[in-house]
Amino acid sequence: NAGVTQTPKFRVLKTGQSMTLLCAQDMNHEYMYWYRQDPGMGLRLIHYSVGEGTTAKGEVPDGYNVSRLKKQNFLLGLESAAPSQTSVYFCASRGTGRNYGYTFGSGTRLTVV
Amino acid sequence: DAKTTQPNSMESNEEEPVHLPCNHSTISGTDYIHWYRQLPSQGPEYVIHGLTSNVNNRMASLAIAEDRKSSTLILHRATLRDAAVYYCILSNAGGTSYGKLTFGQGTILTVHP
């Protein structure tokens, strides 16, 4: 089925460890986004990309890096994980024109201890 | 970014219509009105979006006020599966915003059997 796939679904990290979250979409969407959601709160934008090879900072970019080497993939990296980065991470993509709705992945639940 | 105001929570009975209001008095002429919903432990799901005219799809209807300062999401017959947090979001595809979604707290919809 077409959609957005996030891997892994769950992960526990120790403080200071690094990891990469992968987001893949098969809808040929230009725009991709990474959000985080803390308990009881709405989603906050971390980084986004408007096309292959481009990235930009969102609302809460500190402590994260991203890359968009291929149109279908958007990677979110944590170089040195901190407990404050414990959250659920959602990736999303969207098309343009009539196909304007966002499609979200099912999320990655990350715990930093 | 223009903000939206939604009630914190609403309740409905199964098989009855539900009208979820949203105020967006500072909306700009190029802002689209988006609705997403988030079921427990899932990523947000696109419901509907519109610019000026009322919109219908298989999930819901979107009624937009003539001055565009408010809108209403209409679920024609609520089911237990419609229990979720509903987010009303303004998104501008142009300029420097690149169609980013800014999530508020949303409306928690409870559906009673």
Side-chain angles (χ1 to χ4, degrees):
Chain A
N1 291 334
V4 175
T5 303
Q6 292 184 234
T7 53
K9 295 190 183 303
F10 303 93
R11 186 71 184 270
V12 178
L13 285 180
K14 294 182 179 179
T15 298
Q17 286 185 319
S18 64
M19 78 164 294
T20 300
L21 282 67
L22 171 64
C23 176
Q25 54 96 1
D26 58 4
M27 297 169 285
N28 201 35
H29 284 170
E30 290 292 337
Y31 300 89
M32 296 187 74
Y33 308 80
W34 275 107
Y35 288 87
R36 61 176 287 175
Q37 185 174 34
D38 299 320
M41 297 181 66
L43 281 71
R44 292 184 293 169
L45 181 65
I46 305 171
H47 285 281
Y48 64 98
S49 169
V50 300
E52 182 177 315
T54 71
T55 63
K57 294 180 179 180
E59 181 186 359
V60 288
D62 293 342
Y64 305 95
N65 57 75
V66 287
S67 64
R68 183 100 180 267
L69 299 180
K70 293 183 179 181
K71 186 177 183 179
Q72 64 268 34
N73 295 335
F74 194 28
L75 306 179
L76 178 70
L78 287 73
E79 291 185 346
S80 180
S84 61
Q85 293 178 305
T86 294
S87 189
V88 181
Y89 292 84
F90 291 102
C91 177
S93 71
R94 74 168 180 91
T96 58
R98 286 180 176 270
N99 185 20
Y100 197 101
Y102 287 66
T103 301
F104 283 83
S106 58
T108 295
R109 186 173 297 274
L110 175 65
T111 302
V112 183
V113 298
Chain B
D1 293 334
K3 295 188 182 299
T4 63
T5 303
Q6 300 177 250
N8 290 332
S9 62
M10 292 186 65
E11 297 186 16
S12 174
N13 294 319
E14 200 173 11
E15 298 190 3
E16 291 184 354
V18 181
H19 289 64
L20 297 167
C22 181
N23 288 320
H24 28 79
S25 59
T26 60
I27 189 171
S28 73
T30 53
D31 282 334
Y32 283 80
I33 302 161
H34 285 245
W35 283 85
Y36 288 78
R37 70 181 185 181
Q38 188 173 23
L39 280 66
S41 301
Q42 295 189 26
E45 175 187 26
Y46 169 80
V47 178
I48 201 166
H49 78 278
L51 185 61
T52 56
S53 302
N54 295 344
V55 184
N56 300 294
N57 65 22
R58 64 175 179 82
M59 290 182 68
S61 294
L62 176 61
I64 302 173
E66 195 168 335
D67 63 5
R68 300 186 73 234
K69 293 185 177 182
S70 65
S71 61
T72 302
L73 178 70
I74 302 166
L75 306 179
H76 296 287
R77 289 185 65 193
T79 69
L80 297 178
R81 289 176 296 177
D82 290 324
V85 180
Y86 285 79
Y87 296 99
C88 170
I89 303 168
L90 302 183
S91 181
N92 191 327
T96 59
S97 63
Y98 294 109
K100 295 177 290 184
L101 298 178
T102 301
F103 285 78
Q105 295 299 309
T107 296
I108 300 172
L109 176 65
T110 302
V111 180
H112 299 290

